[in-house]
Amino acid sequence: MDHMQEATRNLIAAIEACPEYRRYENAKQKMYKYPILKKKTDEFRKQNYELQNSDADIFEEADRLWQKYYHIIQYPVVWEYLAAETAFCKMMQKMNLQILENLDFETGFEEFQETFDI
């Protein structure tokens, strides 16, 4: 397990050194200078996350959400924070997908449930 812990520490260090993470950290630190704006931005992020994980008509609801928070999103510090967060998340998703694609790890849960009607 020591080898895995060392590899994990190395991976964390590599992530911390990558441009996407540094951009995100920089944008986050700037957001902390505006606590009320940060709070409203976090409300938007939470609702956006819930929308993306719901069965709602995502295009219609996303449009409503953006209109509701337009007065917040238009601030450059907020826009940069959201863009940096998105870039970092996409990088992490690609990395996780690459790891899973290169390991013999089955993820066909949907097929299993349909087959056995669970």
Side-chain angles (χ1 to χ4, degrees):
M1 192 60 164
D2 290 337
H3 174 71
M4 291 305 298
Q5 289 175 343
E6 182 180 341
T8 301
R9 284 191 298 272
N10 290 337
L11 178 58
I12 291 168
I15 291 169
E16 289 174 334
C18 79
E20 293 86 352
Y21 182 75
R22 285 184 287 137
R23 177 184 177 198
Y24 168 72
E25 277 297 308
N26 186 39
K28 184 174 69 172
Q29 292 306 316
K30 288 179 182 176
M31 282 295 299
Y32 283 136
K33 295 177 183 176
Y34 307 95
I36 295 171
L37 205 52
K38 174 77 165 85
K39 182 180 181 210
K40 291 291 185 186
T41 302
D42 287 345
E43 288 173 12
F44 167 78
R45 291 171 58 239
K46 180 180 185 235
Q47 289 182 26
N48 189 43
Y49 175 83
E50 289 170 351
L51 173 62
Q52 290 178 23
N53 291 290
S54 74
D55 293 331
D57 178 357
I58 193 161
F59 295 109
E60 185 177 317
E61 293 299 319
D63 188 46
R64 276 194 214 133
L65 183 63
W66 281 80
Q67 287 177 17
K68 178 180 176 182
Y69 284 94
Y70 178 75
H71 65 288
I72 299 296
I73 296 168
Q74 69 181 346
Y75 287 95
V77 68
V78 173
W79 187 255
E80 172 57 16
Y81 176 65
L82 295 173
E85 177 186 49
T86 299
F88 176 65
C89 287
K90 284 182 180 180
M91 184 211 62
M92 292 297 294
Q93 288 171 340
K94 286 179 185 177
M95 187 178 64
N96 287 331
L97 184 60
Q98 186 177 3
I99 290 169
L100 287 176
E101 285 176 344
N102 286 282
L103 296 173
D104 187 16
F105 184 74
E106 295 182 10
T107 57
F109 302 118
E110 298 83 16
E111 295 170 20
F112 179 81
Q113 288 178 337
E114 291 174 10
T115 303
F116 294 100
D117 196 27
I118 295 176

